[in-house]
Amino acid sequence: MTTENPTGLAHAEDATAGGVPTEIAAGDSVAGVIRAEVIDAPLDLAAHEAAVADPRAGAVVSFQGVVRDHDHGRGVTLLEYEGHPTAAAVLREVAAEIAADPAVYAVAVSHRIGTLQIGDVALVASVSTAHRAAAFAACARLVDEAKARLPIWKRQVFHDGAEEWVNCP
């Protein structure tokens, strides 16, 4: 079942892993709203920033991971991301850990799966806090932890037709 929150973003009430958009209330008035999802559709930075909006926040820091046209000196044509069925649950855990920081008001993070072209957004993260230093630090932790822990693997296709899997066990 899907409902609307005050930011206008839809969220699933019965969150499950495997590409289902989810929004999880942190259950803590300090942490605010957490939005964490793994989806196969384009990501919207403005929606993430709206999700973390809070009247107490003096800072919102956002990050977009964008597909670039090269890797280690080789031309890249496209990327394909595949996620383990637990990917959404892992992303929710990471978001909850960042949101548990008393300086953090709200967290929104999404990772895209499927085939992405050059310039497509693969990861969006937004964090709100009272002050900019805390927002920058929390957003950096969010992105770093998602990258380190998320069971999502990337297949790169190069201009010469070669391909390689990255972060694959």
Side-chain angles (χ1 to χ4, degrees):
M1 177 174 193
T2 301
T3 61
E4 294 258 330
N5 71 17
T7 65
L9 296 172
H11 70 276
E13 289 180 355
D14 180 23
T16 59
V20 176
T22 59
E23 184 175 297
I24 302 95
D28 178 51
S29 62
V30 174
V33 173
I34 299 172
R35 181 177 178 87
E37 61 187 359
V38 173
I39 62 173
D40 63 357
L43 303 179
D44 183 353
L45 176 64
H48 285 72
E49 290 174 341
V52 301
D54 187 299
R56 301 169 295 166
V60 172
V61 170
S62 298
F63 170 84
Q64 290 188 105
V66 179
V67 177
R68 64 181 180 262
D69 68 355
H70 67 280
D71 187 42
H72 294 64
R74 297 175 72 187
V76 172
T77 303
L78 63 85
L79 298 181
E80 181 181 357
Y81 287 95
E82 288 191 15
H84 188 272
T86 62
V90 172
L91 191 57
R92 287 191 301 272
E93 289 172 12
V94 169
E97 288 171 15
I98 301 305
D101 181 333
V104 173
Y105 296 140
V107 173
V109 60
S110 300
H111 199 296
R112 189 167 169 195
I113 56 174
T115 302
L116 281 72
Q117 303 299 318
I118 304 306
D120 286 347
V121 178
L123 175 72
V124 173
S126 294
V127 176
S128 64
T129 68
H131 304 285
R132 72 179 177 271
F136 277 111
C139 193
R141 281 195 326 269
L142 176 59
V143 171
D144 290 346
E145 285 298 314
K147 185 170 173 104
R149 294 169 41 191
L150 203 54
I152 291 182
W153 304 284
K154 174 174 68 175
R155 181 176 70 97
Q156 298 186 115
V157 178
F158 298 100
H159 287 289
D160 64 6
E163 61 183 54
E164 73 177 356
W165 285 93
V166 179
N167 297 332
C168 201

